[in-house]
Amino acid sequence: MQVNNSLTQTQEKKPVSFSNFLTNQYVKQKIIETVGGKDSQKFMTSILSAVTNNATLQECDQMSVLNCAFLGQALNLVPSPQLGQYYMVPFKNKKKNCTEAQFQLGYKGYIQLAIRSGYYKKINVVSIKEGELIKYDPLEEVIEVRLIANDEQREQTPTVGYFAMFEYMNGFRKTLYWSKDKMLTHADKYSQAFNKDVYQKILAENIPQEDMWKYSSFWYKDFDGMAYKTMLRQLISKWGIMSTEMQEAYSKDMAV
């Protein structure tokens, strides 16, 4: 009898799966009210897929994951990691003593929102490889490069910097160049989850594979992608016209 009671207690404490969480009547109703009945099933399928394919997200407070997805839906962005428009990133909330999902806009999300605003004629961000940069004049904002023609060779060449630019429909143009060293310093200063010394060890393969799960920050997993986002964020927030959508995305980026 005591064994059965113990089993019952253990089962009661077992956490609810995310798929069961989504089928909860209150949660389903909240989704229908927020997203609309027509798109609710598609919405649930997309976030369930994102959570199922990310073990660390499964450990997050489930309502925080849903709130992330609501924000992405409000911005008309897709949570698919393959599309890279936005991510739901686990964040240790020490005040609440739990793990919550943090909304993190991807650089492709910034581009989507910029194009959608209708202000931008051109917008681009690229990595500059070793040997490509001839000069960058920050006063005139003119960059001179000689890009490596062979795509495969270029892909294998180390990155030395990042260049971003936009041009309005009226012809106003703005550019920005950062060296990779500057980007590393920026990430080390502003990201709690990133350390540039650890990053160098990862590049040198000096960290055992079984310990790599500790370094789940996108700065470790996709440094160039985060660098692209940083360049666009710096460029647009300082000199760009920001639509209401872009302002909301900017203010909620990396927020729980």
Side-chain angles (χ1 to χ4, degrees):
M1 192 74 178
Q2 290 178 345
V3 173
N4 289 337
N5 285 340
S6 298
L7 284 171
T8 302
Q9 290 171 4
T10 302
Q11 288 171 349
E12 287 174 354
K13 292 179 181 178
K14 187 177 179 181
V16 176
S17 68
F18 193 75
S19 58
N20 287 338
F21 167 77
L22 286 179
T23 55
N24 175 281
Q25 192 58 42
Y26 167 78
V27 174
K28 283 181 70 176
Q29 187 59 37
K30 190 69 177 173
I31 291 171
I32 291 170
E33 290 173 2
T34 307
V35 179
K38 181 181 176 182
D39 298 321
S40 60
Q41 189 58 50
K42 181 182 177 182
F43 173 82
M44 288 191 287
T45 301
S46 66
I47 59 171
L48 180 60
S49 175
V51 172
T52 302
N53 292 318
N54 189 331
T56 53
L57 269 182
Q58 294 167 29
E59 300 172 7
C60 290
D61 174 82
Q62 293 170 333
M63 190 56 76
S64 73
V65 174
L66 183 60
N67 285 332
C68 269
F70 279 155
L71 180 54
Q73 178 73 15
L75 295 170
N76 198 22
L77 299 175
V78 182
S80 169
Q82 289 75 27
L83 293 178
Q85 294 181 358
Y86 81 90
Y87 305 97
M88 296 179 284
V89 181
F91 168 78
K92 290 284 184 184
N93 190 326
K94 294 180 181 178
K95 290 182 179 179
K96 294 183 181 179
N97 193 30
C98 68
T99 302
E100 294 181 314
Q102 185 183 61
F103 177 85
Q104 192 168 97
L105 195 64
Y107 82 91
K108 292 179 182 177
Y110 267 104
I111 292 173
Q112 281 287 322
L113 293 173
I115 293 170
R116 205 184 299 162
S117 73
Y119 297 125
Y120 298 86
K121 182 180 180 180
K122 295 179 183 178
I123 184 166
N124 197 15
V125 59
V126 295
S127 58
I128 302 298
K129 299 295 184 174
E130 190 174 73
E132 290 186 331
L133 181 65
I134 298 172
K135 73 172 183 178
Y136 177 70
D137 182 349
L139 292 177
E140 297 293 332
E141 296 186 354
V142 175
I143 190 168
E144 189 177 345
V145 294
R146 186 179 292 109
L147 299 181
I148 298 170
N150 185 290
D151 289 340
E152 187 175 343
Q153 181 187 346
R154 190 173 193 277
E155 188 70 28
Q156 295 172 356
T157 304
T159 297
V160 295
Y162 301 93
F163 176 77
M165 63 78 65
F166 70 70
E167 183 180 336
Y168 291 152
M169 291 298 184
N170 65 9
F172 176 78
R173 191 172 186 271
K174 201 73 183 173
T175 73
L176 185 66
Y177 174 80
W178 278 16
S179 67
K180 185 167 184 178
D181 285 342
K182 181 173 181 176
M183 188 63 70
L184 282 164
T185 300
H186 175 89
D188 191 62
K189 182 177 180 180
Y190 292 103
S191 174
Q192 295 180 355
F194 180 80
N195 180 282
K196 62 181 179 180
D197 294 331
V198 171
Y199 177 69
Q200 296 299 342
K201 289 180 181 178
I202 290 173
L203 290 181
E205 299 183 349
N206 289 335
I207 292 180
Q209 195 61 39
E210 60 268 24
D211 291 339
M212 284 300 297
W213 65 271
K214 299 176 184 177
Y215 310 105
S216 59
S217 167
F218 279 97
W219 280 108
Y220 292 124
K221 295 194 290 185
D222 183 13
F223 188 91
D224 279 354
M226 289 298 291
Y228 291 167
K229 170 192 166 176
T230 301
M231 294 296 289
L232 291 172
R233 185 180 170 90
Q234 292 286 324
L235 192 66
I236 293 172
S237 65
K238 291 180 180 177
W239 295 289
I241 299 174
M242 298 180 73
S243 64
T244 303
E245 272 189 328
M246 292 185 77
Q247 291 176 41
E248 169 130 10
Y250 182 86
S251 64
K252 299 290 177 62
D253 189 21
M254 296 179 286
V256 174

